[in-house]
Amino acid sequence: MSERAPAVHLSPRNLPTRASLAILGLIGLLCLIGPLVSGHPYHQVYRDYVLVRPSPFAHPDARETHAALEGIARRMRVGVESFRAESGILHLTLSADRPIDSRALRAFERSDVFGPARIVETNGEGRRLSIDVPLKRTVFLFGTDANGRDLFTRTLIAGRISLAVGLLASFVALTIGVAYGAVAGYAGGRIDALMMRIVEIVYALPFIFFVIVLVMVFGRHFVLIFVTIGAVEWLDMARIVRGQTLSIKQRDFVAAAEALGASAPAILWRHVIPNASGPIAAYLAVLVPRVILLESFVSFLGLGVQEPLTSWGVLVADGARNIQGSVHLLIFPALFLGATLGALQSLGNAWQGSPGAGSR
Amino acid sequence: MLRFFLSRVLTAVPALFIIIALAFFLMRLAPGGPFDSERALDPEIAKNLRRIYKLDRPLLEQFWLYLQSLAHGDLGPSLHWRDFSVNELFAKALPVSATLGAKAMLIAILAGTALGAAGAMSKSAIGPRLVDGAAIFGIVLPVFVVAPLLQLAFGLSLPALPVGGWNGGAWQNQVLPVITLALPQIAIVARLMQAALRDALAMPHIRTLRAFGMPGHHIYIHALRAAFAPVVSYLGLAAANVLTGSVVVETIFGIPGMGRYFVDGALGRDYTLVMGTVIVVAAAVLLFNLIVDLILAWLDPRVRYDARRR
């Protein structure tokens, strides 16, 4: 009984579409798998590696080894007599005025640069100690932040959050918008006019204020960010669905369903919403990047995701604060955010331009 | 036209009232109060403070009192900056934000329409694509990414412009914030303009003009009139977007405008300050929408007739 609008589909031959899909797939995969294989928990703090520059090579380099060694020697109150590095192992000779307590060697283990120390030789009643210390090899592909946390892992964890917020908040907006728009359009008349008037008024409300107040009322809970953003972004969806409903309810199959005694919710669910799915899907493709952007905006202001968890907005805010000296903190998250948003946007454009998406 | 104008004003006033009411009660719904701090205040002092600011009255009475003072143009005393009234705070901040916003909008309109028109008029296939591609960058790159990048490029690597501060509105201090605010709007306007002008150029009356052998500029004047409608109707939203963007821009560039009152006021539960910002922003958006409606009605007679019929 129900006529179907032509299915919305993306032409995979289109080069921008293909590139966008590839970028999204790559970023999605990286965010999903990356944190598992990066070798760094996202909240692990490396005190010896604060604001390290990005590099594909393993740390520590000679300078970092030296600095860490000096720090440990100072804390142990010993002098370093000789120092020779050989295939990942440091051969050290320590000396002091008093016998060296071998328990103090644990300081090596505790640092982020060295492994556990092994005593090779003890001389002068324990005043001279020859030890072998292995170097810990760590790679910080994107460098580290001001707290010494691996930026690569954090960027990908942030991506998970941002993408999750994007999808879930869009879902919230979708649900509210479709229900609201369909009801307004189907009811028509005074109810429709009133409901759309409300939408217009909420439009004039500066949404950022709305978000701030909702965050204050609900607290800064992770899940509530979805709800808050969804609660702000449903307006356009409601308008689109209402417009579609107005035209769909004139069609013969709706009249037939009414004649057969179908209830209003049933007609909306079975006939109106499925037939409006093309424009809904097309708008959804534009909504997801907007929601991600909004989340990062809210997080940028410090109202969104809270530490140690993070999102791209938080990372970019961090980068903006550390711009003098540590550009990588801004560049990498911004690159990921920009690439994701760009890919989504161009997909949305392609989708809206495709046959069956309908025009607004 | 007058009738059209009046009907629009009459719908804007209740909208503003509803926004004020919504903001007022939503703020009070939020937990915490303006006088909360790390150390709890002495109960007597807190009581006195609440009495002085009339926060101990019933909520509806407070709302009524607020509306009364609002009718006199008084936004009330700030609860956080105790020595200032909200009016005094805004008297300093509003001109700064308005200057930035107005310049950004102006640049967005001029550059956006010019770029879009150039794209639509170009004979080659690359022109429109170039505009579309560049526009995507402008749309997706968030203000808070563009701002630090610009700081980095023009303030630090190539120390030509100050990285932040207002300095009494010296032009050097305005360049980067205005560009940051304008960029995304330029992108959107350019896209809209290009699509609209392309559609307009394909319309029958343009084809007729071409068939008559009219000169190029004559044809474009006719096409532009039709193409401006979607661009103008976007400007209302653009104003709202610029206002939102200014929150970030003013934070990053350290500009003493309205933007910071948004966030600081809400977090500090400075009720009167937040109400003030909401009213100013909502009124600005409504006013801008009104102007947009008027321009649309002037551009397209169908809009006027439609309103009269209703």
Side-chain angles (χ1 to χ4, degrees):
Chain A
M1 187 193 314
S2 83
E3 299 168 33
R4 282 258 168 193
V8 176
H9 62 95
L10 291 164
S11 148
R13 281 181 206 284
N14 193 339
L15 185 67
T17 307
R18 243 193 231 175
S20 307
L21 282 174
I23 289 172
L24 279 183
L26 197 68
I27 289 178
L29 215 64
L30 259 177
C31 290
L32 217 59
I33 300 172
L36 303 176
V37 297
S38 74
H40 305 286
Y42 70 92
H43 46 60
Q44 164 117 40
V45 171
Y46 295 94
R47 246 174 258 137
D48 291 316
Y49 297 120
V50 171
L51 289 176
V52 166
R53 284 180 187 288
S55 91
F57 304 110
H59 290 275
D61 58 18
R63 197 183 48 80
E64 284 161 347
T65 316
H66 217 83
L69 189 61
E70 258 174 23
I72 291 173
R74 206 180 314 122
R75 243 171 293 145
M76 285 174 68
R77 298 202 183 113
V78 298
V80 179
E81 262 185 18
S82 71
F83 165 104
R84 192 159 52 84
E86 193 176 45
S87 64
I89 295 179
L90 271 188
H91 304 288
L92 289 176
T93 313
L94 307 176
S95 67
D97 304 338
R98 283 169 295 160
I100 302 171
D101 189 345
S102 63
R103 281 174 299 181
L105 290 177
R106 273 195 219 132
F108 284 102
E109 225 173 309
R110 268 189 231 119
S111 83
D112 305 316
V113 180
F114 306 107
R118 194 170 57 83
I119 302 174
V120 180
E121 211 181 354
T122 319
N123 285 328
E125 291 163 358
R127 289 194 183 88
R128 278 170 56 99
L129 217 56
S130 293
I131 53 172
D132 284 357
V133 188
L135 288 174
K136 249 189 239 164
R137 298 227 151 269
T138 31
V139 178
F140 299 108
L141 211 52
F142 290 0
T144 59
D145 66 7
N147 290 321
R149 293 174 295 193
D150 178 39
L151 189 63
F152 179 67
T153 315
R154 286 185 73 70
T155 305
L156 298 184
I157 287 285
R160 282 189 188 177
I161 303 279
S162 289
L163 292 175
V165 169
L167 293 177
L168 291 174
S170 299
F171 182 74
V172 172
L174 174 80
T175 316
I176 302 177
V178 168
Y180 195 92
V183 167
Y186 192 72
R190 281 237 178 103
I191 300 176
D192 177 34
L194 180 72
M195 285 174 88
M196 283 301 124
R197 191 87 207 117
I198 293 173
V199 168
E200 249 171 66
I201 289 170
V202 180
Y203 245 120
L205 198 68
F207 82 94
I208 175 164
F209 162 80
F210 214 35
V211 171
I212 291 170
V213 170
L214 285 176
V215 167
M216 286 190 327
V217 174
F218 290 136
R220 296 177 188 183
H221 193 276
F222 177 64
V223 178
L224 290 165
I225 297 170
F226 305 140
V227 181
T228 307
I229 294 174
V232 178
E233 285 291 335
W234 58 273
L235 299 170
D236 283 320
M237 185 64 90
R239 281 186 165 179
I240 291 165
V241 174
R242 170 184 170 266
Q244 289 295 313
T245 309
L246 281 180
S247 76
I248 290 170
K249 84 172 176 183
Q250 308 288 339
R251 305 266 287 268
D252 290 340
F253 57 86
V254 173
E258 276 169 353
L260 286 172
S263 65
I267 291 174
L268 284 180
W269 184 247
R270 296 258 326 186
H271 300 291
V272 175
I273 294 175
N275 277 294
S277 62
I280 291 176
Y283 181 66
L284 204 58
V286 185
L287 185 63
V288 173
R290 266 187 35 190
V291 166
I292 293 178
L293 198 61
L294 186 51
E295 185 275 329
S296 27
F297 183 76
V298 173
S299 291
F300 178 86
L301 294 175
L303 299 168
V305 180
Q306 299 294 306
E307 291 278 341
L309 221 54
T310 184
S311 81
W312 282 332
V314 179
L315 289 181
V316 169
D318 233 29
R321 268 193 293 278
N322 287 304
I323 193 161
Q324 211 153 6
S326 308
V327 188
H328 65 275
L329 285 181
L330 174 69
I331 298 295
F332 287 108
L335 210 63
F336 272 71
L337 180 63
T340 308
L341 292 177
L344 281 169
Q345 184 80 34
S346 103
L347 271 188
N349 286 346
W351 205 326
Q352 282 193 329
S354 78
S359 53
R360 291 199 269 143
Chain B
M1 201 70 181
L2 184 70
R3 196 165 154 179
F4 177 79
F5 174 74
L6 285 179
S7 80
R8 285 294 146 138
V9 172
L10 281 180
T11 50
V13 169
L16 189 60
F17 175 78
I18 292 174
I19 288 169
I20 292 171
L22 206 66
F24 188 89
F25 291 108
L26 260 179
M27 272 304 287
R28 303 306 169 99
L29 216 67
F35 308 119
D36 291 354
S37 55
E38 296 281 312
R39 230 163 41 114
L41 279 177
D42 187 69
E44 279 300 313
I45 297 175
K47 209 176 131 195
N48 260 331
L49 271 174
R50 295 181 69 78
R51 191 171 50 78
I52 291 168
Y53 289 107
K54 295 175 183 157
L55 293 176
D56 54 348
R57 313 272 184 91
L59 206 52
L60 273 178
E61 193 188 332
Q62 284 183 46
F63 186 52
W64 178 239
L65 286 172
Y66 186 76
L67 286 182
Q68 274 182 333
S69 71
L70 196 61
H72 294 279
D74 181 10
L75 292 167
S78 167
L79 302 181
H80 183 255
W81 282 279
R82 302 265 170 82
D83 293 336
F84 296 94
S85 73
V86 175
N87 290 50
E88 284 165 352
L89 289 174
F90 283 5
K92 283 217 183 71
L94 198 55
V96 174
S97 289
T99 312
L100 279 186
K103 283 184 183 167
M105 284 293 286
L106 198 68
I107 290 178
I109 294 169
L110 290 179
T113 47
L115 275 176
M121 289 177 191
S122 82
K123 298 280 188 294
S124 69
I126 305 166
R129 279 207 197 146
L130 215 63
V131 171
D132 266 342
I136 282 193
F137 274 103
I139 292 169
V140 301
L141 271 187
V143 171
F144 54 84
V145 172
V146 173
L149 285 180
L150 283 178
Q151 281 182 328
L152 190 67
F154 297 103
L156 299 173
S157 309
L158 184 88
L161 294 164
V163 174
W166 184 240
N167 195 17
W171 68 268
Q172 294 96 330
N173 292 61
Q174 291 192 23
V175 174
L176 289 184
V178 167
I179 289 178
T180 313
L181 273 177
L183 269 182
Q185 307 311 322
I186 292 176
I188 297 175
V189 170
R191 268 180 61 123
L192 277 174
M193 184 71 195
Q194 174 170 307
L197 188 57
R198 225 167 14 189
D199 287 352
L201 283 173
M203 277 194 203
H205 69 277
I206 299 296
R207 202 181 48 205
T208 311
L209 285 178
R210 277 198 208 282
F212 282 158
M214 289 287 179
H217 66 268
H218 198 99
I219 293 173
Y220 281 124
I221 286 174
H222 281 270
L224 279 175
R225 189 179 168 120
F228 271 133
V231 175
V232 171
S233 59
Y234 168 71
L235 291 182
L237 208 58
N241 285 343
V242 165
L243 279 165
T244 322
S246 70
V247 175
V248 170
V249 167
E250 287 175 12
T251 311
I252 293 181
F253 288 103
I255 292 167
M258 297 280 289
R260 65 197 164 135
Y261 291 141
F262 251 128
V263 183
D264 291 354
L267 289 182
R269 304 291 188 275
D270 192 338
Y271 296 140
T272 44
L273 186 59
V274 171
M275 289 302 300
T277 40
V278 168
I279 289 169
V280 168
V281 169
V285 171
L286 286 173
L287 183 73
F288 215 84
N289 278 327
L290 185 71
I291 295 172
V292 163
D293 278 345
L294 287 179
I295 297 176
L296 273 182
W298 174 69
L299 272 178
D300 187 348
R302 283 172 297 182
V303 177
R304 275 178 305 217
Y305 295 135
D306 199 34
R308 200 175 299 164
R309 211 161 26 131
R310 254 192 279 174

